Amino acid sequence: MISYDAELLLLERGLVAIGVDEAGRGALAGPVVAAAVVLHPEHIPTGINDSKKLRPHQREQLAIEIRQCAIAWAIGQKPASVIDQINILQATFEAMHEAVAACHAMLGRPHQECHLLIDGNRFRRHIIEHTTIIGGDARSVTIAAASILAKTYRDDMMTRTLDAHYPDYGFARHMGYGTQQHRQALHEHGPCPEHRHSFLSRILAQNIDDPGADS
């Protein structure tokens, strides 16, 4: 159940909670995007939850409210070319570190007075101490807020920018994930510069009409 409990425990120690989450890690195309956010304890928008549990219009409205009410927030991202070079895990860490650095700069507090709450079970060491929380986007309201910012930012990029540049792939419908329609487009047109080539060898080797292609 989502709560502000982890953040309150940090506040009792004189620490500011910076929530961090990513979007797009499992996609076949587009960037991996991370967000970092510091919520004001007295101005937390109602309805914040794991971004996957919200409808698109709910996420979009909450993203507006979070950006307006947050003490600090920032986005980091790494494109497909970097993902192919250093792998998705390291690219995710890079995006997270980028978001944290920008959020921390906006916050203007010494790093000793901050603490990162990270969704998941792994994170690359940072100058700011951190805690990883499995399923954190459904447990910590600050991590959930970061998940909403990351998801809406990435979805907007996929629908407004990449779909317009590469209309053959239907990015606005599947956000770069491996749907049947996306795999069909890959077989018909081949990958574009926004595809993660390191993710595609098995998919391109499949018979697209094979009903077991998803297994």
Side-chain angles (χ1 to χ4, degrees):
M1 183 176 179
I2 199 158
S3 75
Y4 198 67
D5 292 348
E7 293 84 344
L8 287 175
L9 289 174
L10 292 171
L11 280 173
E12 291 173 0
R13 295 166 51 196
L15 298 173
V16 176
I18 303 176
V20 185
D21 201 4
E22 56 77 25
R25 184 170 171 177
L28 304 180
V32 61
V33 173
V37 62
V38 179
L39 295 176
H40 193 297
E42 298 179 0
H43 300 285
I44 299 175
T46 302
I48 292 178
N49 204 341
D50 176 0
S51 63
K52 298 183 292 295
K53 298 179 179 179
L54 299 171
R55 295 181 179 180
H57 74 276
Q58 293 175 313
R59 287 196 298 263
E60 291 162 9
Q61 180 58 41
L62 280 167
I64 293 171
E65 295 178 23
I66 291 165
R67 291 193 294 266
Q68 290 174 341
C69 297
I71 295 172
W73 67 274
I75 297 290
Q77 60 180 304
K78 292 300 169 186
S81 59
V82 171
I83 293 169
D84 284 338
Q85 290 171 7
I86 65 175
N87 76 50
I88 184 59
L89 179 61
Q90 296 305 318
T92 300
F93 290 160
E94 289 283 341
M96 286 181 164
H97 275 236
E98 182 179 294
V100 168
C103 183
H104 181 233
M106 182 182 295
L107 182 62
R109 297 280 291 270
H111 72 268
Q112 299 94 334
E113 297 179 5
C114 303
H115 193 93
L116 306 177
L117 297 177
I118 311 291
D119 182 50
N121 62 355
R122 299 177 68 181
F123 187 60
R124 192 174 69 202
R125 186 173 180 178
H126 192 278
I127 190 173
I128 302 174
E129 292 187 359
H130 72 271
T131 300
T132 55
I133 303 176
I134 297 174
D137 49 4
R139 296 171 61 188
S140 159
V141 70
T142 304
I143 294 177
S147 79
I148 291 168
L149 293 184
K151 172 67 173 169
T152 54
Y153 183 95
R154 187 179 186 278
D155 283 359
D156 187 68
M157 178 181 294
M158 297 302 295
T159 56
R160 293 178 182 272
T161 304
L162 298 192
D163 188 71
H165 283 125
Y166 304 100
D168 291 333
Y169 300 95
F171 289 145
R173 290 185 287 278
H174 51 66
M175 308 303 168
Y177 286 90
T179 63
Q180 176 75 11
Q181 177 199 19
H182 191 183
R183 294 198 311 273
Q184 181 69 48
L186 278 165
H187 279 266
E188 291 178 1
H189 306 288
C192 76
E194 295 296 334
H195 279 100
R196 305 171 185 180
H197 293 255
S198 55
F199 283 38
L200 300 181
S201 57
R202 183 179 65 85
I203 290 172
L204 293 176
Q206 289 174 344
N207 179 350
I208 196 64
D209 296 321
D210 182 357
D214 283 328
S215 61

